[in-house]
Each structure stands twice: as structure tokens, then as C-alpha cells.
Amino acid sequence: MTIRGVLFDVDGTLYDYEKAEEAGLHEHLVAKGLSVRFESPAEALRVWREVREEEYPRFLNGELTFAAQKAARIRRFLAHAGVVGALEWTDEAATAWFASYAVQRDAIRRAFDDAQPVLGALAGRFRLGVVSNSVTAHQRAKLDAIGLLGYFTEPLICSQEHGSAKPGASIFLAGCEALGLTPAEAAYVGDDYEKDAVGARDAGLQAVWLDRSASGGSGAVDAGIRVIASLTELMSL
Ligand SMILES: [Mg+2]
């Protein structure tokens, strides 16, 4: 079956989320005088990510709104930092703290170096789309800021508006529908093995797992999943 379209994950695939998060958190903690509450920047980041990994899924499963998961993360993180009364912070106070962190994070946001050249090369030959576990307005603004939005002419498909998240099949199928393609005609590229690669394969798409830690050279992992170490390798697939 010929591939006619490519759907992409955003964070960790096109956008270097982890680098922005790390630098933004550090800058913000220094600005707030809180960096001294942690043994090291690495320890602060470890706690931050641990809390994120527990709270963000509560947004994805519909238990919390996007804003409420931010507030929950801030209360827990600041409680770890020893901020007295942090667990009782109002949503407003916690969301404002998150927003001021996000200003620092977004000051350095950038696409991965391989994203723009590869999207540019694919754009004339394939329909391109986005399927993301996030909120459409948020991802649209992000892609715009990093100079990639123009490559996506079809609606972005995000879990908030779609109503369910990866790795469920439904959101991948919605992405194919947005491109006007059958699942077999579409490839899906993402950095999370279970949510992206396994989810896309199980939905019937051509699954490509982006493992940026790999040494290079495309290959196969589980049946039906191709692995690449950089987006540039997509061109040879
Ligand atoms: Mg990702």
C-alpha cells in the first residue's frame, strides 16, 4: 500500500519539549528564589517531571481540565519545594504560577533541527497532519511559534477536542479522516513507543517510532513498527 499522508506527534517529535521544559523550569525557579530548595537543577526537574507524569494523564482521561492539571501540578511541586500552604493554593494562584513558568519555557522554544527540512521536503508529496494528546489552540500556537504551522493545512487533531487520547484507535482514525485517507494510506510518526507507535499500528496506520536516543539506521522493532533515530530518516522510508 502506498503512503499518501503522514501524521505527526508534536512534543518530543517536532518540538523539543524537554529542553524547553528543563531550561524554563530552572530559570523560573531561580527567578522565584526556589532553586535553593532542591539539591540540584536535575533533582528539581526530576520532581517536576514525576508530578507531570502523574497529573497529565488525569487530563487525558477527562478527570481534569487542561487548566486544572496545571494547577494540580503546581500545588504538588511547590509542596515538594517546601512552600508552606502550597497544597491549599487556589486554582487561580497555581495557574498564574504555571503561566509565569510557561513564559520562561516558551522564551526558548524551538523545533528540532530536522523538523523543518523534513516537513518542507514531504509537503509537496504527502498530505501532512497532526494528532496530539493536547489542546488544539495550545498546539496551534506552539507550531506557529516554532515556524511549522504552515505545513499543516488540515485541521489539527487534539485529544481535548476529539474526546479521547492516544493510544486509543479513535484519535488516529480521526487524523486519517482529516487527511481524507484510509489508515493504511497514512503513516504516523511519534516519539512515545506505546502511545504513538503501538497505538498507530493497532489502529491500522503505518507506524514509525522516532527514537532520538537510538544510534541511527532505520530498522524494525515489533511487527508493524519501523524505528528511526531522526526525522531525516523518514525520507528513506
Ligand atoms: Mg511526543
Side-chain angles (χ1 to χ4, degrees), residues 104 157 201 221 229 232:
Q104 303 277 5
I157 305 298
R201 179 200 60 186
V221 268
T232 310

Side-chain angles (χ1 to χ4, degrees), residues 97-175:
W97 201 97
F98 192 100
S100 55
Y101 146 73
V103 169
Q104 303 277 5
R105 180 195 64 193
D106 293 348
I108 57 141
R109 64 184 168 182
R110 64 179 194 90
F112 284 106
D113 290 341
D114 52 10
Q116 189 139 21
V118 169
L119 290 174
L122 294 175
R125 298 160 53 200
F126 299 92
R127 296 179 206 172
L128 303 178
V130 162
V131 172
S132 175
N133 279 354
S134 186
V135 174
T136 303
H138 183 69
Q139 296 300 61
R140 176 172 291 279
K142 180 188 291 175
L143 288 167
D144 194 22
I146 61 176
L148 301 182
L149 185 62
Y151 294 109
F152 302 104
T153 51
E154 311 300 338
L156 310 180
I157 305 298
C158 290
S159 58
Q160 165 78 43
E161 290 77 12
H162 177 69
S164 67
K166 301 178 289 185
S170 157
I171 192 167
F172 291 106
L173 300 180

Side-chain angles (χ1 to χ4, degrees), residues 190-215:
D191 68 302
D192 187 300
Y193 186 73
E194 293 296 328
K195 287 196 186 79
D196 295 331
V198 174
R201 179 200 60 186
D202 291 351
L205 287 76
Q206 310 276 336
V208 180
W209 178 41
L210 174 62
D211 178 12
R212 290 189 181 276
S213 68
S215 53

